[in-house]
Amino acid sequence: MARWRFSLSLFLLATLGPWLALADHSFENTAIVRTVELGGALVHITTTYAVKALEDGSAVYTIALGDDEHEKTSWLEAKIKGQSAVLPLEKVGYDPKTDIHYYAVELSKALKANASTNLVVETVQTHATYPWPEEAGQKDGQSLKYETDLLVLSPYVTSVQRTKIRSPSPQVHSYTKPEGLEAFTLEDPVTKSGSTLTYGPYKNIPQSTTEDFVQERQQHVTIHYSCDYPVIEVTKLTRTAEISHWGANLNIQDNVHLHNGGPRLKGHFSRLEHQSSAYFGRQPPHIIPGLTLHLPAGIHDVYYYDLIGNVSTSHLRTAPSVPKGSQNNQFSVLELKPRYPILGGWNYSFTLGWDTPLGDSAGWDKESGKYVVGVPVMTTIPGTVVDVAEVKIILPEGATDLEFFPPFPAAMNELSTHVIYLDTIGRPTITLHYNQLTDQHAGVIYVSLLVTYKVPFSAHLKKPLAVATAFLGTFVLAFAWKRIDTRIQRQK
Amino acid sequence: MGGWDLMTRVWRLVVPATAYVNPASPGPTISPPSPVSFQTIMADYQSIQALHKAVPPFSPYIAVGLLPYIAFFLLVSTFGLAFYFSTLPKDTIPIREVAVASTASLLGGFGVVALFCSVGVYV
């Protein structure tokens, strides 16, 4: 579909945003299935819309998100079921009366009347769960609560919809049993099977984005479940990638501020109890004893230290370097063990860095005379949310014609100069600021921030000439000193 | 010409020189990036990614493995020439002193850069 038609559709949708509930009749939902995978810091939601076009040429489908859901969502992606191509998606409006946010999805091809397709929308929510009870003893378990809207909102009529909520463990302490749904179902509104709760099926739901429907029909459900792994949050991540042409090296350094988002420790911490539970393999689920990180292949000179100094409790298994651009499934595995186990509510800050050959990440394009470098945005800690991330790329001194291509938009971009060893004018630095990053953002094989730049040959000589100038200054001083008579008594 | 002025004149940047706030935030990251949300000119990520995979890997002008030996040779030469400089007589036209000092400085400049890279400070 031509890009201008999509833009025109978006323009129309944007201007008619508040009236979408009444105006848009080009689709009908034959079925909506929402699957919620509960976790600790992250909740993965997959919503499958079985849509049927009511008019010829229907190509833009509108998704509605409630305000609460929108606030927690940090990743939103739409695909056609069975296809890998990601569909263009754009925010088109917000209705302040219903607090609903609208997103338009451009289908890969327009549908004819009565044709149907399955649209899969994946979202990742952050900080959607909270510990309950809020405090727990060192030996106690960990339980979380998750709240969500019962019905999936849509500006289209829906024949049937259901929501499946999967808990990570079979222990579900309690869940909401909704009432007043006789208009949509005569059966039990919620059923439980093992660790899966199924809300629905609810049938014949009208356009649910109207003010009346949201106020009278929408309900809130809460699930209280047991979580058998710690809730890991990174409150701040600062990644610095420094490129050196002289050393053919790419140094990546992460400053990580880690937080355990589980229940706060009730009482005191007992080292004896901790050692005992570790020895017998009965580690409580809310304690973070260590982390296992998958770092790039080919790294060397890895360092790990915190505020006190070097932390020696780590184990690294490196993978050999792989050529740039080749398919690589190998990672270097680093097992970190902080100085102390991180209990609920506790924080730990550390610095982790490594060097890699620049040839594994950067290339030279002879045609344009530009270098192209790819820097991973972050290292994935599975199931972890990164609240604030700052990714800084320090380019060689004298780099020009900078262009950067992030895999997803940043909240803010900055350009600055970084001065370090042997620099004269300083190194150009690109800084990108991100919020609420998840493992989806990191990608399966480290989605990279791409930067292109030029470095003239003369720029490479800046450092040696700067040092040579300093040496020459010393020689000039020596030259002058030789010609000054510093004797106390002059010879007659 | 000051350093900051030189910086802005030398760089041809695609993005503005001041901090830029994405008008689409706050909100979820949308994959792929929204086509109309940015003021900066951004080429297709996939095409740059394909270029990144296709171009030959970076290769330095001087092999990194040779840098420790180059550093040793150059810095020993610098030391030797500096000693020789100290023994030179005071000429009226100091041609030899200038030549020796210049050569020693140049060798020292490259030697120090090679030394830094050899010890892990990749400048």
Side-chain angles (χ1 to χ4, degrees):
Chain A
M1 183 183 183
R3 183 64 72 179
W4 70 267
R5 286 186 187 168
F6 178 53
S7 300
L8 179 61
S9 303
L10 291 178
F11 172 75
L12 289 173
L13 282 166
T15 51
L16 297 173
W19 296 277
L20 269 173
L22 299 174
D24 197 336
H25 293 282
S26 54
F27 288 99
E28 176 188 75
N29 297 318
T30 52
I32 298 178
V33 177
R34 176 174 57 166
T35 306
V36 179
E37 301 281 353
L38 294 177
L42 303 179
V43 174
H44 289 79
I45 300 176
T46 304
T47 309
T48 304
Y49 299 84
V51 303
K52 184 172 82 172
L54 301 178
E55 308 169 346
D56 280 343
S58 300
V60 179
Y61 182 87
T62 304
I63 297 168
L65 294 178
D67 194 43
D68 188 49
E69 187 179 359
H70 184 263
E71 198 180 318
K72 294 174 192 170
T73 300
S74 76
W75 176 267
L76 181 63
E77 185 178 85
K79 293 179 184 176
I80 298 292
K81 190 174 182 179
Q83 296 180 12
S84 59
V86 179
L87 301 175
L89 190 135
E90 171 119 20
K91 184 171 183 182
V92 291
Y94 167 70
D95 185 358
K97 289 182 182 174
T98 56
D99 285 332
I100 292 175
H101 300 256
Y102 294 95
Y103 286 81
V105 181
E106 182 186 357
L107 302 178
S108 49
K109 50 185 178 180
L111 297 176
K112 291 184 180 173
N114 295 320
S116 60
T117 187
N118 289 319
L119 183 64
V120 179
V121 175
E122 290 191 26
T123 59
V124 178
Q125 292 183 345
T126 60
H127 299 290
T129 63
Y130 55 93
W132 195 263
E134 291 173 330
E135 290 185 344
Q138 187 172 339
K139 288 190 286 187
D140 295 343
Q142 173 181 242
S143 296
L144 306 175
K145 270 192 178 178
Y146 173 71
E147 297 179 12
T148 187
D149 290 332
L150 172 65
L151 298 170
V152 178
L153 298 175
S154 177
Y156 312 108
V157 172
T158 304
S159 301
V160 62
Q161 70 159 265
R162 58 167 60 86
T163 298
K164 293 183 183 176
I165 302 178
R166 292 203 183 108
S167 164
S169 82
Q171 269 187 304
V172 176
H173 306 301
S174 67
Y175 53 94
T176 305
K177 296 179 177 61
E179 294 173 351
L181 293 170
E182 292 77 19
F184 307 128
T185 181
L186 297 175
E187 299 166 359
D188 215 348
V190 57
T191 54
K192 181 175 179 295
S193 171
S195 59
T196 303
L197 295 169
T198 304
Y199 284 89
Y202 305 128
K203 298 177 183 172
N204 302 321
I205 299 175
Q207 291 171 343
S208 49
T209 49
T210 59
E211 199 176 341
D212 289 339
F213 187 96
V214 170
Q215 285 178 0
E216 292 171 16
R217 299 290 189 183
Q218 183 65 288
Q219 297 184 36
H220 225 54
V221 296
T222 303
I223 297 95
H224 188 203
Y225 62 99
S226 180
C227 186
D228 294 336
Y229 47 85
V231 179
I232 306 175
E233 297 171 2
V234 175
T235 52
K236 184 165 183 188
L237 167 69
T238 306
R239 166 162 281 204
T240 307
E242 192 171 323
I243 298 168
S244 165
H245 279 201
W246 271 105
N249 186 72
L250 172 65
N251 171 267
I252 293 181
Q253 178 170 302
D254 288 338
N255 295 319
V256 182
H257 298 271
L258 204 63
H259 173 74
N260 186 330
R264 289 191 307 273
L265 176 66
K266 187 164 64 177
H268 66 274
F269 171 67
S270 165
R271 174 61 71 169
L272 183 64
E273 174 59 39
H274 175 69
Q275 297 288 103
S276 167
S277 62
Y279 179 79
F280 290 110
R282 290 192 311 248
Q283 196 79 267
H286 56 91
I287 295 180
I288 305 173
L291 296 172
T292 301
L293 303 177
H294 289 85
L295 304 180
I299 63 173
H300 59 90
D301 294 334
V302 180
Y303 50 94
Y304 164 44
Y305 62 85
D306 58 17
L307 291 173
I308 296 173
N310 181 58
V311 184
S312 58
T313 50
S314 61
H315 183 60
L316 174 67
R317 294 191 298 275
T318 55
S321 184
V322 291
K324 180 184 67 64
S326 62
Q327 196 71 16
N328 173 37
N329 294 324
Q330 286 188 319
F331 294 96
S332 301
V333 180
L334 176 65
E335 293 161 0
L336 298 178
K337 204 170 178 184
R339 291 182 194 278
Y340 51 87
I342 306 167
L343 272 71
W346 289 13
N347 300 303
Y348 179 67
S349 299
F350 63 94
T351 299
L352 173 64
W354 60 86
D355 292 324
T356 56
L358 187 58
D360 291 353
S361 308
W364 158 256
D365 181 22
K366 198 176 174 183
E367 279 179 25
S368 61
K370 285 189 174 185
Y371 295 95
V372 186
V373 64
V375 176
V377 173
M378 58 184 263
T379 298
T380 306
I381 306 175
T384 302
V385 58
V386 179
D387 291 339
V388 174
E390 188 181 292
V391 181
K392 203 182 281 191
I393 318 290
I394 302 173
L395 298 162
E397 195 176 22
T400 60
D401 293 1
L402 308 181
E403 289 180 88
F404 63 93
F405 308 91
F408 39 84
M412 191 167 76
N413 311 318
E414 267 182 88
L415 296 165
S416 58
T417 305
H418 182 74
V419 180
I420 202 166
Y421 310 112
L422 306 185
D423 286 344
T424 48
I425 63 170
R427 307 177 191 209
T429 302
I430 300 167
T431 306
L432 282 78
H433 298 265
Y434 291 101
N435 298 319
Q436 304 301 315
L437 293 183
T438 67
D439 43 16
Q440 288 282 5
H441 294 87
V444 175
I445 311 178
Y446 294 119
V447 172
S448 297
L449 164 67
L450 298 169
V451 181
T452 61
Y453 59 96
K454 288 184 180 177
V455 181
F457 180 75
S458 57
H460 289 101
L461 300 178
K462 274 190 171 56
K463 286 185 187 17
L465 291 178
V467 178
T469 306
F471 272 112
L472 199 59
T474 311
F475 280 113
V476 167
L477 283 174
F479 177 88
W481 182 263
K482 274 203 303 188
R483 283 157 175 77
I484 297 171
D485 188 359
T486 56
R487 288 172 299 179
I488 296 173
Q489 290 178 338
R490 294 178 191 280
Q491 280 184 351
K492 291 181 184 174
Chain B
M1 185 183 286
W4 283 101
D5 191 36
L6 178 65
M7 185 172 65
T8 55
R9 282 168 191 254
V10 167
W11 297 351
R12 181 168 64 82
L13 304 171
V14 176
V15 297
T18 54
Y20 165 78
V21 179
N22 182 352
S25 94
T29 298
I30 300 171
S31 167
S34 163
V36 294
S37 298
F38 297 97
Q39 296 174 7
T40 57
I41 301 172
M42 293 183 76
D44 188 22
Y45 180 83
Q46 276 85 16
S47 69
I48 299 296
Q49 196 175 35
L51 176 68
H52 178 249
K53 280 183 184 167
V55 295
F58 173 86
S59 176
Y61 292 120
I62 302 172
V64 175
L66 293 178
L67 286 177
Y69 306 101
I70 292 172
F72 178 77
F73 171 75
L74 291 179
L75 291 176
V76 165
S77 303
T78 304
F79 180 81
L81 285 172
F83 174 74
Y84 179 58
F85 175 86
S86 69
T87 64
L88 289 174
K90 288 177 284 190
D91 295 333
T92 309
I93 304 173
I95 298 173
R96 265 203 303 181
E97 284 175 287
V98 168
V100 170
S102 303
T103 307
S105 299
L106 209 58
L107 294 178
F110 283 92
V112 165
V113 171
L115 177 68
F116 268 61
C117 292
S118 302
V119 297
V121 180
Y122 298 102
V123 294

